[in-house]
Amino acid sequence: MSDTDFTPNEMMTIAASRALKNTDVCFVGIGAPSAACNIARLTHAPDVTLIYESGTIGTAPTVLPLSIGDGELCDTAVTTVSVPEMFRYWLQGGRVTVGFLGAAQIDRFGNINTTVIGDYDQPKTRLPGGGGAPEIASSSGEIFITLKQSRRAMVDKIDFYTSFGHGDGGDHRERLGITTKGPTLMVTDLAVWKPDPVTREFTVVSLHPGVTREMVQAECGWTVRFAETVEETPAPTGIELKTLRDLNARTKAAHAGGKSGEAA
């Protein structure tokens, strides 16, 4: 694949990575959020501070971790603290500017479900659970979300509230005494979304190259709102694509049992 060709997943990861700043202290979720955060660190934000739930601070992994307990995170961290210190002092102490999360289910107000699909007592699917995400969602300065669009993932009503977003919309967070901003950005494989300043409903502000409004609606379980002016997401640059592909190649080699520096 050439630098002028890219997949929807590559577009999503790179678009999400661009949201992080060099000065951010980011609490990183495993999976798509981890990929986006590390691409930011390897490109435009080399001084971003990445924190993982296991207590690793300022980590700079050469490959993407399989879990928060991956030794790669501790090996490359500036320091590793206990989980209670991580949550009480760093997160709840207001020292994390961005929480970067994924979702199994999400609604129009950025409420996230990673617990169960279906009834809680008799679920169709039992998901991994929230881990630290509920605390990240309420205590981080703001929340970025990234996920692949589908009608199954983007639903009108989530089956379980794992991580609170904007609740029922409007000032719901404030009425509950939550002082942080909550979800301010969602990047999917089709579009970039931001919450309406009044209703807090996620609204499409940018379509990825080649994506139409109809394509976005077809993969969303609620009636999509579009901003008054919808822009086109800038395509990945050659450097961004090479950085992502090299990272994925190193990760594939490492997880297959090879050395992390090998190409796939």
Side-chain angles (χ1 to χ4, degrees):
M1 185 178 295
S2 71
D3 286 349
T4 58
D5 296 323
F6 50 88
T7 68
N9 188 67
E10 288 175 331
M11 181 72 260
M12 175 180 70
T13 302
I14 290 168
S17 77
R18 293 168 177 164
L20 282 177
K21 303 185 299 296
N22 212 35
T23 54
D24 276 323
V25 177
C26 181
F27 211 124
V28 187
I30 293 296
S34 183
C37 291
N38 279 285
I39 291 304
R41 178 181 62 82
L42 292 168
T43 54
H44 68 277
D47 294 326
V48 66
T49 301
L50 301 186
I51 294 177
Y52 285 78
E53 193 176 329
S54 52
T56 56
I57 299 175
T59 190
T62 57
V63 300
L64 294 175
L66 289 169
S67 72
I68 60 169
D70 197 315
E72 176 76 12
L73 295 176
C74 189
D75 288 346
T76 61
V78 172
T79 188
T80 301
V81 302
S82 67
V83 172
E85 178 180 332
M86 170 60 66
F87 279 88
R88 183 65 189 95
Y89 179 80
W90 291 93
L91 179 61
Q92 294 173 332
R95 293 171 173 83
V96 174
T97 63
V98 175
F100 220 128
L101 300 175
Q105 270 189 342
I106 192 168
D107 67 15
R108 72 187 70 205
F109 297 115
N111 302 300
I112 292 174
N113 171 26
T114 54
T115 303
V116 294
I117 301 298
D119 180 74
Y120 183 82
D121 294 319
Q122 294 181 315
K124 297 177 182 177
T125 304
R126 179 74 67 179
L127 300 170
E135 289 80 9
I136 295 169
S138 61
S139 296
S140 299
E142 60 185 319
I143 297 296
F144 298 162
I145 301 164
T146 187
L147 77 159
K148 183 177 180 179
Q149 276 198 224
S150 72
R151 297 184 71 86
R152 183 169 62 178
M154 301 177 73
V155 297
D156 189 55
K157 183 176 177 59
I158 57 176
D159 293 330
F160 187 90
Y161 280 75
T162 306
S163 303
F164 192 80
H166 293 291
D168 296 329
D171 65 348
H172 198 172
R173 279 180 79 88
E174 290 80 1
R175 286 188 282 113
L176 292 177
I178 305 174
T179 59
T180 51
K181 294 179 181 179
T184 59
L185 177 74
M186 178 167 65
V187 181
T188 71
D189 56 331
L190 299 177
V192 176
W193 310 59
K194 292 184 179 180
D196 180 90
V198 177
T199 67
R200 313 312 295 173
E201 178 179 344
F202 267 118
T203 302
V204 174
V205 298
S206 176
L207 295 172
H208 298 337
V211 175
T212 64
R213 296 185 181 214
E214 290 74 21
M215 291 167 66
V216 173
Q217 183 61 77
E219 297 297 337
C220 185
W222 65 80
T223 301
V224 177
R225 291 187 58 192
F226 294 88
E228 185 174 336
T229 301
V230 177
E231 300 178 350
E232 180 175 276
T233 311
T237 66
I239 292 176
E240 288 173 326
L241 278 175
K242 184 179 188 307
T243 303
L244 175 58
R245 290 169 183 172
D246 286 350
L247 176 62
N248 285 335
R250 292 195 302 271
T251 301
K252 181 179 179 180
H255 294 169
K259 296 179 180 179
S260 62
E262 293 177 355

Short mmCIF file of all heavy atoms in Angstrom, two decimals, residues 119-179:
data_model
loop_
_atom_site.label_atom_id
_atom_site.label_comp_id
_atom_site.label_asym_id
_atom_site.label_seq_id
_atom_site.Cartn_x
_atom_site.Cartn_y
_atom_site.Cartn_z
N ASP A 119 -29.60 -7.45 28.64
CA ASP A 119 -29.95 -7.30 30.05
C ASP A 119 -28.77 -7.65 30.95
O ASP A 119 -28.05 -8.62 30.70
CB ASP A 119 -31.14 -8.20 30.38
CG ASP A 119 -31.57 -8.09 31.82
OD1 ASP A 119 -32.17 -7.08 32.19
OD2 ASP A 119 -31.26 -9.03 32.60
N TYR A 120 -28.57 -6.88 32.01
CA TYR A 120 -27.40 -7.09 32.87
C TYR A 120 -27.39 -8.48 33.50
O TYR A 120 -26.35 -9.13 33.58
CB TYR A 120 -27.35 -6.03 33.97
CG TYR A 120 -26.13 -6.16 34.86
CD1 TYR A 120 -24.90 -5.63 34.46
CD2 TYR A 120 -26.20 -6.82 36.08
CE1 TYR A 120 -23.77 -5.75 35.25
CE2 TYR A 120 -25.07 -6.96 36.88
CZ TYR A 120 -23.87 -6.43 36.46
OH TYR A 120 -22.75 -6.58 37.24
N ASP A 121 -28.55 -8.96 33.94
CA ASP A 121 -28.61 -10.26 34.62
C ASP A 121 -28.53 -11.43 33.66
O ASP A 121 -28.06 -12.51 34.02
CB ASP A 121 -29.90 -10.35 35.45
CG ASP A 121 -29.91 -9.36 36.61
OD1 ASP A 121 -28.85 -9.19 37.24
OD2 ASP A 121 -30.96 -8.75 36.85
N GLN A 122 -29.00 -11.22 32.44
CA GLN A 122 -28.94 -12.27 31.42
C GLN A 122 -28.46 -11.66 30.10
O GLN A 122 -29.20 -11.57 29.13
CB GLN A 122 -30.31 -12.94 31.23
CG GLN A 122 -30.79 -13.71 32.45
CD GLN A 122 -32.13 -14.38 32.22
OE1 GLN A 122 -33.07 -13.78 31.67
NE2 GLN A 122 -32.23 -15.65 32.60
N PRO A 123 -27.20 -11.26 30.06
CA PRO A 123 -26.70 -10.54 28.88
C PRO A 123 -26.49 -11.43 27.67
O PRO A 123 -26.23 -12.63 27.81
CB PRO A 123 -25.36 -9.99 29.38
CG PRO A 123 -24.91 -10.98 30.40
CD PRO A 123 -26.17 -11.43 31.09
N LYS A 124 -26.61 -10.84 26.50
CA LYS A 124 -26.25 -11.55 25.27
C LYS A 124 -24.73 -11.73 25.21
O LYS A 124 -24.23 -12.75 24.77
CB LYS A 124 -26.74 -10.77 24.05
CG LYS A 124 -28.24 -10.61 23.95
CD LYS A 124 -28.61 -9.76 22.74
CE LYS A 124 -30.11 -9.56 22.65
NZ LYS A 124 -30.47 -8.66 21.51
N THR A 125 -24.03 -10.68 25.64
CA THR A 125 -22.57 -10.71 25.65
C THR A 125 -22.06 -10.04 26.91
O THR A 125 -22.50 -8.94 27.27
CB THR A 125 -21.99 -9.96 24.42
OG1 THR A 125 -22.53 -10.53 23.23
CG2 THR A 125 -20.47 -10.06 24.40
N ARG A 126 -21.13 -10.71 27.58
CA ARG A 126 -20.48 -10.11 28.74
C ARG A 126 -19.16 -9.49 28.26
O ARG A 126 -18.29 -10.18 27.73
CB ARG A 126 -20.19 -11.18 29.80
CG ARG A 126 -19.50 -10.66 31.04
CD ARG A 126 -20.42 -9.86 31.93
NE ARG A 126 -21.47 -10.67 32.54
CZ ARG A 126 -22.38 -10.20 33.36
NH1 ARG A 126 -22.36 -8.92 33.69
NH2 ARG A 126 -23.32 -11.00 33.86
N LEU A 127 -19.03 -8.17 28.41
CA LEU A 127 -17.86 -7.44 27.92
C LEU A 127 -16.79 -7.36 29.02
O LEU A 127 -17.04 -7.73 30.16
CB LEU A 127 -18.29 -6.05 27.47
CG LEU A 127 -19.32 -6.03 26.33
CD1 LEU A 127 -19.87 -4.63 26.12
CD2 LEU A 127 -18.72 -6.58 25.05
N PRO A 128 -15.59 -6.86 28.67
CA PRO A 128 -14.50 -6.85 29.66
C PRO A 128 -14.77 -6.01 30.90
O PRO A 128 -14.15 -6.22 31.94
CB PRO A 128 -13.33 -6.26 28.86
CG PRO A 128 -13.65 -6.55 27.44
CD PRO A 128 -15.14 -6.46 27.35
N GLY A 129 -15.67 -5.04 30.82
CA GLY A 129 -15.95 -4.20 31.96
C GLY A 129 -15.28 -2.83 31.84
O GLY A 129 -14.59 -2.54 30.88
N GLY A 130 -15.47 -2.03 32.87
CA GLY A 130 -15.01 -0.65 32.81
C GLY A 130 -13.55 -0.45 33.18
O GLY A 130 -12.91 0.48 32.69
N GLY A 131 -13.02 -1.31 34.07
CA GLY A 131 -11.68 -1.05 34.57
C GLY A 131 -11.65 0.34 35.20
O GLY A 131 -12.50 0.69 36.03
N GLY A 132 -10.70 1.15 34.80
CA GLY A 132 -10.62 2.51 35.33
C GLY A 132 -11.38 3.54 34.51
O GLY A 132 -11.38 4.73 34.86
N ALA A 133 -12.05 3.10 33.44
CA ALA A 133 -12.70 4.06 32.53
C ALA A 133 -13.75 4.94 33.20
O ALA A 133 -13.86 6.12 32.87
CB ALA A 133 -13.29 3.33 31.33
N PRO A 134 -14.57 4.42 34.13
CA PRO A 134 -15.55 5.32 34.76
C PRO A 134 -14.89 6.49 35.47
O PRO A 134 -15.37 7.63 35.39
CB PRO A 134 -16.27 4.40 35.76
CG PRO A 134 -16.15 3.04 35.15
CD PRO A 134 -14.79 3.01 34.53
N GLU A 135 -13.77 6.22 36.18
CA GLU A 135 -13.06 7.30 36.86
C GLU A 135 -12.36 8.23 35.86
O GLU A 135 -12.33 9.45 36.05
CB GLU A 135 -12.03 6.71 37.83
CG GLU A 135 -12.63 6.04 39.05
CD GLU A 135 -13.12 4.63 38.77
OE1 GLU A 135 -12.84 4.10 37.67
OE2 GLU A 135 -13.80 4.06 39.64
N ILE A 136 -11.80 7.64 34.80
CA ILE A 136 -11.17 8.46 33.77
C ILE A 136 -12.19 9.41 33.15
O ILE A 136 -11.91 10.59 32.93
CB ILE A 136 -10.55 7.56 32.68
CG1 ILE A 136 -9.41 6.72 33.27
CG2 ILE A 136 -10.04 8.39 31.50
CD1 ILE A 136 -8.92 5.62 32.34
N ALA A 137 -13.40 8.91 32.89
CA ALA A 137 -14.44 9.70 32.23
C ALA A 137 -14.89 10.89 33.08
O ALA A 137 -15.30 11.92 32.54
CB ALA A 137 -15.64 8.82 31.89
N SER A 138 -14.82 10.75 34.40
CA SER A 138 -15.30 11.83 35.26
C SER A 138 -14.19 12.74 35.75
O SER A 138 -14.44 13.91 36.08
CB SER A 138 -16.06 11.25 36.47
OG SER A 138 -15.22 10.43 37.24
N SER A 139 -12.95 12.25 35.81
CA SER A 139 -11.88 13.03 36.43
C SER A 139 -10.87 13.64 35.46
O SER A 139 -10.14 14.56 35.84
CB SER A 139 -11.13 12.16 37.45
OG SER A 139 -11.99 11.78 38.52
N SER A 140 -10.78 13.13 34.24
CA SER A 140 -9.87 13.75 33.26
C SER A 140 -10.42 15.10 32.82
O SER A 140 -11.65 15.30 32.80
CB SER A 140 -9.71 12.85 32.03
OG SER A 140 -9.16 11.61 32.37
N GLY A 141 -9.53 16.00 32.45
CA GLY A 141 -9.97 17.33 32.02
C GLY A 141 -10.99 17.28 30.89
O GLY A 141 -11.98 18.01 30.89
N GLU A 142 -10.76 16.40 29.92
CA GLU A 142 -11.70 16.16 28.83
C GLU A 142 -11.48 14.75 28.31
O GLU A 142 -10.47 14.11 28.62
CB GLU A 142 -11.54 17.20 27.72
CG GLU A 142 -10.18 17.23 27.07
CD GLU A 142 -10.04 18.36 26.05
OE1 GLU A 142 -11.01 18.60 25.29
OE2 GLU A 142 -8.97 19.00 25.99
N ILE A 143 -12.43 14.27 27.52
CA ILE A 143 -12.38 12.91 27.03
C ILE A 143 -12.41 12.89 25.50
O ILE A 143 -13.26 13.54 24.88
CB ILE A 143 -13.57 12.08 27.56
CG1 ILE A 143 -13.51 11.97 29.09
CG2 ILE A 143 -13.60 10.69 26.93
CD1 ILE A 143 -12.31 11.23 29.61
N PHE A 144 -11.47 12.15 24.91
CA PHE A 144 -11.49 11.85 23.49
C PHE A 144 -11.89 10.38 23.33
O PHE A 144 -11.46 9.53 24.11
CB PHE A 144 -10.11 12.06 22.84
CG PHE A 144 -9.58 13.47 22.92
CD1 PHE A 144 -8.22 13.71 22.73
CD2 PHE A 144 -10.42 14.55 23.15
CE1 PHE A 144 -7.71 15.01 22.79
CE2 PHE A 144 -9.92 15.85 23.21
CZ PHE A 144 -8.56 16.07 23.03
N ILE A 145 -12.68 10.11 22.31
CA ILE A 145 -13.17 8.75 22.06
C ILE A 145 -12.87 8.37 20.62
O ILE A 145 -13.03 9.19 19.72
CB ILE A 145 -14.69 8.66 22.31
CG1 ILE A 145 -15.03 9.06 23.76
CG2 ILE A 145 -15.21 7.25 22.02
CD1 ILE A 145 -16.49 9.36 23.98
N THR A 146 -12.44 7.13 20.42
CA THR A 146 -12.25 6.65 19.05
C THR A 146 -12.80 5.24 18.92
O THR A 146 -12.63 4.42 19.83
CB THR A 146 -10.76 6.71 18.64
OG1 THR A 146 -10.63 6.38 17.26
CG2 THR A 146 -9.89 5.79 19.46
N LEU A 147 -13.52 4.98 17.84
CA LEU A 147 -14.09 3.66 17.60
C LEU A 147 -14.52 3.54 16.15
O LEU A 147 -14.72 4.55 15.46
CB LEU A 147 -15.30 3.40 18.51
CG LEU A 147 -16.64 4.06 18.15
CD1 LEU A 147 -17.78 3.31 18.82
CD2 LEU A 147 -16.67 5.53 18.54
N LYS A 148 -14.64 2.30 15.70
CA LYS A 148 -15.12 2.02 14.35
C LYS A 148 -16.64 2.11 14.35
O LYS A 148 -17.31 1.54 15.20
CB LYS A 148 -14.66 0.63 13.90
CG LYS A 148 -15.06 0.29 12.48
CD LYS A 148 -14.52 -1.07 12.07
CE LYS A 148 -14.93 -1.41 10.64
NZ LYS A 148 -14.40 -2.72 10.20
N GLN A 149 -17.18 2.81 13.37
CA GLN A 149 -18.63 3.00 13.31
C GLN A 149 -19.36 1.73 12.90
O GLN A 149 -18.94 1.00 12.00
CB GLN A 149 -19.00 4.11 12.31
CG GLN A 149 -18.92 5.48 12.90
CD GLN A 149 -19.69 6.52 12.09
OE1 GLN A 149 -19.17 7.59 11.88
NE2 GLN A 149 -20.90 6.22 11.66
N SER A 150 -20.49 1.49 13.57
CA SER A 150 -21.45 0.46 13.18
C SER A 150 -22.75 0.74 13.92
O SER A 150 -22.74 1.38 14.99
CB SER A 150 -20.95 -0.95 13.52
OG SER A 150 -20.99 -1.18 14.92
N ARG A 151 -23.84 0.27 13.40
CA ARG A 151 -25.13 0.47 14.07
C ARG A 151 -25.17 -0.29 15.38
O ARG A 151 -25.94 0.06 16.29
CB ARG A 151 -26.27 0.04 13.15
CG ARG A 151 -26.37 0.85 11.87
CD ARG A 151 -27.56 0.44 11.03
NE ARG A 151 -28.81 0.86 11.63
CZ ARG A 151 -29.37 2.06 11.46
NH1 ARG A 151 -28.78 2.97 10.70
NH2 ARG A 151 -30.52 2.34 12.03
N ARG A 152 -24.37 -1.34 15.50
CA ARG A 152 -24.32 -2.12 16.73
C ARG A 152 -23.56 -1.37 17.82
O ARG A 152 -23.87 -1.50 19.01
CB ARG A 152 -23.66 -3.47 16.46
CG ARG A 152 -23.63 -4.39 17.66
CD ARG A 152 -23.22 -5.78 17.27
NE ARG A 152 -21.85 -5.82 16.72
CZ ARG A 152 -21.25 -6.94 16.35
NH1 ARG A 152 -21.88 -8.10 16.43
NH2 ARG A 152 -20.02 -6.90 15.86
N ALA A 153 -22.55 -0.58 17.42
CA ALA A 153 -21.74 0.14 18.39
C ALA A 153 -22.33 1.51 18.74
O ALA A 153 -22.25 1.96 19.89
CB ALA A 153 -20.32 0.32 17.87
N MET A 154 -22.90 2.19 17.76
CA MET A 154 -23.44 3.54 17.96
C MET A 154 -24.96 3.44 18.03
O MET A 154 -25.64 3.38 17.00
CB MET A 154 -22.97 4.46 16.84
CG MET A 154 -21.45 4.55 16.76
SD MET A 154 -20.83 5.56 15.40
CE MET A 154 -21.21 7.21 15.98
N VAL A 155 -25.46 3.38 19.26
CA VAL A 155 -26.87 3.03 19.48
C VAL A 155 -27.65 4.20 20.07
O VAL A 155 -27.08 5.11 20.70
CB VAL A 155 -26.98 1.81 20.42
CG1 VAL A 155 -26.33 0.59 19.77
CG2 VAL A 155 -26.32 2.08 21.77
N ASP A 156 -28.96 4.14 19.90
CA ASP A 156 -29.83 5.19 20.42
C ASP A 156 -29.83 5.18 21.94
O ASP A 156 -29.88 6.23 22.59
CB ASP A 156 -31.24 5.01 19.88
CG ASP A 156 -32.15 6.18 20.21
OD1 ASP A 156 -31.78 7.32 19.88
OD2 ASP A 156 -33.21 5.95 20.83
N LYS A 157 -29.75 3.98 22.54
CA LYS A 157 -29.72 3.85 24.00
C LYS A 157 -28.78 2.71 24.36
O LYS A 157 -28.97 1.57 23.93
CB LYS A 157 -31.12 3.57 24.54
CG LYS A 157 -31.18 3.50 26.07
CD LYS A 157 -32.60 3.33 26.54
CE LYS A 157 -32.66 3.19 28.06
NZ LYS A 157 -32.10 4.34 28.79
N ILE A 158 -27.75 3.01 25.15
CA ILE A 158 -26.80 1.97 25.54
C ILE A 158 -27.45 1.04 26.57
O ILE A 158 -28.37 1.42 27.29
CB ILE A 158 -25.50 2.57 26.12
CG1 ILE A 158 -25.78 3.48 27.31
CG2 ILE A 158 -24.74 3.33 25.03
CD1 ILE A 158 -24.52 4.03 27.97
N ASP A 159 -26.96 -0.20 26.61
CA ASP A 159 -27.54 -1.20 27.51
C ASP A 159 -27.07 -1.04 28.95
O ASP A 159 -27.72 -1.56 29.87
CB ASP A 159 -27.17 -2.61 27.01
CG ASP A 159 -27.83 -2.95 25.68
OD1 ASP A 159 -28.93 -2.42 25.42
OD2 ASP A 159 -27.24 -3.72 24.90
N PHE A 160 -25.95 -0.36 29.15
CA PHE A 160 -25.41 -0.20 30.51
C PHE A 160 -24.52 1.04 30.53
O PHE A 160 -23.73 1.25 29.61
CB PHE A 160 -24.59 -1.44 30.90
CG PHE A 160 -24.14 -1.45 32.34
CD1 PHE A 160 -24.93 -2.03 33.32
CD2 PHE A 160 -22.93 -0.89 32.72
CE1 PHE A 160 -24.53 -2.06 34.64
CE2 PHE A 160 -22.51 -0.90 34.03
CZ PHE A 160 -23.32 -1.49 35.01
N TYR A 161 -24.64 1.86 31.56
CA TYR A 161 -23.78 3.04 31.71
C TYR A 161 -22.51 2.63 32.43
O TYR A 161 -22.50 2.51 33.65
CB TYR A 161 -24.49 4.13 32.49
CG TYR A 161 -25.46 4.96 31.69
CD1 TYR A 161 -26.70 4.45 31.33
CD2 TYR A 161 -25.14 6.26 31.30
CE1 TYR A 161 -27.60 5.20 30.59
CE2 TYR A 161 -26.03 7.02 30.56
CZ TYR A 161 -27.26 6.49 30.21
OH TYR A 161 -28.15 7.24 29.47
N THR A 162 -21.43 2.43 31.67
CA THR A 162 -20.14 2.14 32.28
C THR A 162 -19.40 3.43 32.57
O THR A 162 -18.93 3.66 33.69
CB THR A 162 -19.27 1.28 31.35
OG1 THR A 162 -19.99 0.09 30.96
CG2 THR A 162 -17.98 0.86 32.03
N SER A 163 -19.27 4.29 31.57
CA SER A 163 -18.55 5.56 31.69
C SER A 163 -19.50 6.69 31.30
O SER A 163 -20.01 6.73 30.18
CB SER A 163 -17.32 5.57 30.79
OG SER A 163 -16.47 4.48 31.10
N PHE A 164 -19.72 7.61 32.23
CA PHE A 164 -20.68 8.69 32.03
C PHE A 164 -20.10 9.76 31.11
O PHE A 164 -19.00 10.26 31.32
CB PHE A 164 -21.03 9.30 33.39
CG PHE A 164 -22.21 10.23 33.35
CD1 PHE A 164 -23.50 9.72 33.37
CD2 PHE A 164 -22.04 11.60 33.32
CE1 PHE A 164 -24.60 10.56 33.35
CE2 PHE A 164 -23.13 12.46 33.30
CZ PHE A 164 -24.41 11.94 33.31
N GLY A 165 -20.86 10.07 30.08
CA GLY A 165 -20.48 11.14 29.16
C GLY A 165 -21.21 12.42 29.50
O GLY A 165 -20.90 13.08 30.49
N HIS A 166 -22.21 12.75 28.68
CA HIS A 166 -23.05 13.92 28.96
C HIS A 166 -24.44 13.52 29.41
O HIS A 166 -25.38 14.33 29.35
CB HIS A 166 -23.11 14.83 27.73
CG HIS A 166 -21.81 15.46 27.38
ND1 HIS A 166 -21.22 16.44 28.17
CD2 HIS A 166 -20.94 15.24 26.36
CE1 HIS A 166 -20.06 16.80 27.63
NE2 HIS A 166 -19.86 16.10 26.54
N GLY A 167 -24.59 12.26 29.84
CA GLY A 167 -25.87 11.81 30.39
C GLY A 167 -27.01 11.96 29.41
O GLY A 167 -26.99 11.42 28.30
N ASP A 168 -28.01 12.73 29.81
CA ASP A 168 -29.17 12.99 28.94
C ASP A 168 -28.98 14.26 28.11
O ASP A 168 -29.90 14.73 27.46
CB ASP A 168 -30.45 13.12 29.78
CG ASP A 168 -30.79 11.83 30.51
OD1 ASP A 168 -30.47 10.75 29.96
OD2 ASP A 168 -31.36 11.90 31.61
N GLY A 169 -27.77 14.83 28.16
CA GLY A 169 -27.48 16.02 27.38
C GLY A 169 -27.59 17.29 28.21
O GLY A 169 -27.86 17.26 29.41
N GLY A 170 -27.34 18.40 27.56
CA GLY A 170 -27.42 19.69 28.24
C GLY A 170 -26.44 19.79 29.39
O GLY A 170 -25.26 19.45 29.25
N ASP A 171 -26.93 20.22 30.54
CA ASP A 171 -26.06 20.43 31.70
C ASP A 171 -26.08 19.26 32.68
O ASP A 171 -25.81 19.44 33.87
CB ASP A 171 -26.46 21.72 32.43
CG ASP A 171 -27.86 21.65 33.03
OD1 ASP A 171 -28.62 20.69 32.69
OD2 ASP A 171 -28.21 22.55 33.82
N HIS A 172 -26.38 18.07 32.18
CA HIS A 172 -26.52 16.90 33.07
C HIS A 172 -25.27 16.67 33.91
O HIS A 172 -25.35 16.38 35.11
CB HIS A 172 -26.86 15.65 32.25
CG HIS A 172 -27.44 14.54 33.08
ND1 HIS A 172 -27.96 13.39 32.53
CD2 HIS A 172 -27.58 14.40 34.43
CE1 HIS A 172 -28.39 12.60 33.49
NE2 HIS A 172 -28.17 13.19 34.65
N ARG A 173 -24.09 16.78 33.31
CA ARG A 173 -22.85 16.59 34.08
C ARG A 173 -22.76 17.60 35.22
O ARG A 173 -22.47 17.23 36.38
CB ARG A 173 -21.61 16.74 33.17
CG ARG A 173 -21.24 15.55 32.36
CD ARG A 173 -20.01 15.82 31.50
NE ARG A 173 -18.76 15.73 32.24
CZ ARG A 173 -18.07 14.60 32.40
NH1 ARG A 173 -18.53 13.46 31.92
NH2 ARG A 173 -16.93 14.61 33.07
N GLU A 174 -23.01 18.84 34.91
CA GLU A 174 -22.91 19.89 35.92
C GLU A 174 -23.90 19.67 37.05
O GLU A 174 -23.58 19.88 38.23
CB GLU A 174 -23.14 21.26 35.28
CG GLU A 174 -22.02 21.73 34.36
CD GLU A 174 -22.08 21.11 32.97
OE1 GLU A 174 -23.02 20.31 32.71
OE2 GLU A 174 -21.20 21.41 32.15
N ARG A 175 -25.12 19.22 36.70
CA ARG A 175 -26.13 18.98 37.73
C ARG A 175 -25.74 17.86 38.67
O ARG A 175 -26.21 17.81 39.81
CB ARG A 175 -27.48 18.68 37.07
CG ARG A 175 -28.14 19.91 36.47
CD ARG A 175 -29.55 19.66 36.00
NE ARG A 175 -29.60 18.99 34.71
CZ ARG A 175 -30.04 17.76 34.50
NH1 ARG A 175 -30.47 17.02 35.52
NH2 ARG A 175 -30.06 17.23 33.28
N LEU A 176 -24.88 16.97 38.20
CA LEU A 176 -24.40 15.88 39.05
C LEU A 176 -23.14 16.28 39.82
O LEU A 176 -22.60 15.47 40.58
CB LEU A 176 -24.12 14.64 38.20
CG LEU A 176 -25.34 13.96 37.57
CD1 LEU A 176 -24.90 12.78 36.71
CD2 LEU A 176 -26.32 13.49 38.65
N GLY A 177 -22.67 17.49 39.60
CA GLY A 177 -21.49 17.96 40.32
C GLY A 177 -20.17 17.55 39.69
O GLY A 177 -19.12 17.66 40.31
N ILE A 178 -20.21 17.08 38.43
CA ILE A 178 -18.98 16.71 37.71
C ILE A 178 -18.45 17.97 37.03
O ILE A 178 -19.12 18.55 36.17
CB ILE A 178 -19.25 15.61 36.69
CG1 ILE A 178 -19.90 14.40 37.35
CG2 ILE A 178 -17.94 15.18 36.01
CD1 ILE A 178 -20.34 13.31 36.38
N THR A 179 -17.26 18.38 37.40
CA THR A 179 -16.75 19.68 36.96
C THR A 179 -15.89 19.61 35.70
O THR A 179 -15.54 20.64 35.13
CB THR A 179 -15.94 20.34 38.08
OG1 THR A 179 -14.85 19.47 38.44
CG2 THR A 179 -16.81 20.58 39.30
#
